[in-house]
Amino acid sequence: MRESTIFDCLNIDLKQIQTLRGGITSVENINDFLFALKRVYYLYDIPGGEDRGGHAHKDLKQVIIAVSGSFDLIVDDGKAKKTFTLNSPSKAVQMPSGLWRELKNFSSGSVCLVLCSDMYNENDYIRNYQDFLNFKINKQ
Ligand code: TYD
């Protein structure tokens, strides 16, 4: 979505069930998010100081959760940036398509869970920042 802005990113509180044996958080297709989920992937074993992301998606919508540890999600609509610090397995950020994102400052052992509206498709990625800016002003 070319018109999306950083203000279209939503903080979502997920259900949290605390028991004496530990916590449980579940997410439900459609009930919890504005789109249906088709794919899940997770980032782990991220070396200290390493960044991830550094791309935008033309159509894919995503939900990002720090299921373990913490990291910063920096979203960018070509005009403004916003940083979300994710540090709880019961908090999520729902992202529309059409935003540049970076993932930085991963704590040791952190795991980033990503819930996606569609299957993996390399053609949906914009991996060059200038191409992203061109996409946002309808030049690409
Ligand atoms: P990429 O999305 O660029 O990683 P990140 O944004 O987390 O740094 O993906 C890294 C590599 O993994 C790239 O070669 C594509 C591949 N990949 C898949 O094959 N399937 C997937 O679902 C994802 C997310 C990535």
Side-chain angles (χ1 to χ4, degrees):
M1 188 167 69
R2 290 174 205 274
E3 307 79 23
S4 59
T5 75
I6 56 170
F7 302 107
D8 296 317
C9 292
L10 302 177
N11 276 301
I12 296 180
D13 287 319
L14 302 171
K15 281 184 294 285
Q16 196 176 21
I17 301 163
Q18 291 290 1
T19 78
L20 292 175
R21 294 173 296 137
I24 302 175
T25 290
S26 68
V27 295
E28 291 187 354
N29 216 356
I30 306 184
N31 283 338
D32 289 310
F33 308 115
L34 297 176
F35 53 87
L37 306 173
K38 284 198 183 157
R39 174 170 54 114
V40 171
Y41 69 90
Y42 36 98
L43 311 177
Y44 55 94
D45 284 351
I46 299 152
E50 197 64 60
D51 298 337
R52 301 294 296 257
H55 62 253
H57 287 283
K58 296 174 198 163
D59 290 313
L60 189 75
K61 297 175 270 300
Q62 294 182 311
V63 173
I64 299 183
I65 302 168
V67 287
S68 184
S70 64
F71 53 83
D72 290 332
L73 164 67
I74 299 120
V75 294
D76 177 345
D77 58 21
K79 292 186 176 153
K81 293 183 187 192
K82 183 172 180 179
T83 298
F84 294 88
T85 297
L86 285 158
N87 56 14
S88 163
S90 65
K91 305 266 183 210
V93 174
Q94 180 174 282
M95 286 185 65
S97 56
L99 296 181
W100 189 265
R101 95 283 310 281
E102 312 266 358
L103 293 164
K104 294 178 185 279
N105 302 322
F106 287 93
S107 67
S108 174
S110 56
V111 179
C112 171
L113 180 68
V114 185
L115 313 177
C116 304
S117 63
D118 219 330
M119 309 301 273
Y120 172 72
N121 174 10
E122 186 59 35
N123 293 329
D124 187 64
Y125 280 75
I126 304 171
R127 293 193 181 273
N128 175 281
Y129 190 71
Q130 189 57 51
D131 291 347
F132 166 69
L133 294 177
N134 290 341
F135 173 79
K136 291 302 265 186
I137 57 171
N138 255 313
K139 279 198 176 161
Q140 202 186 54

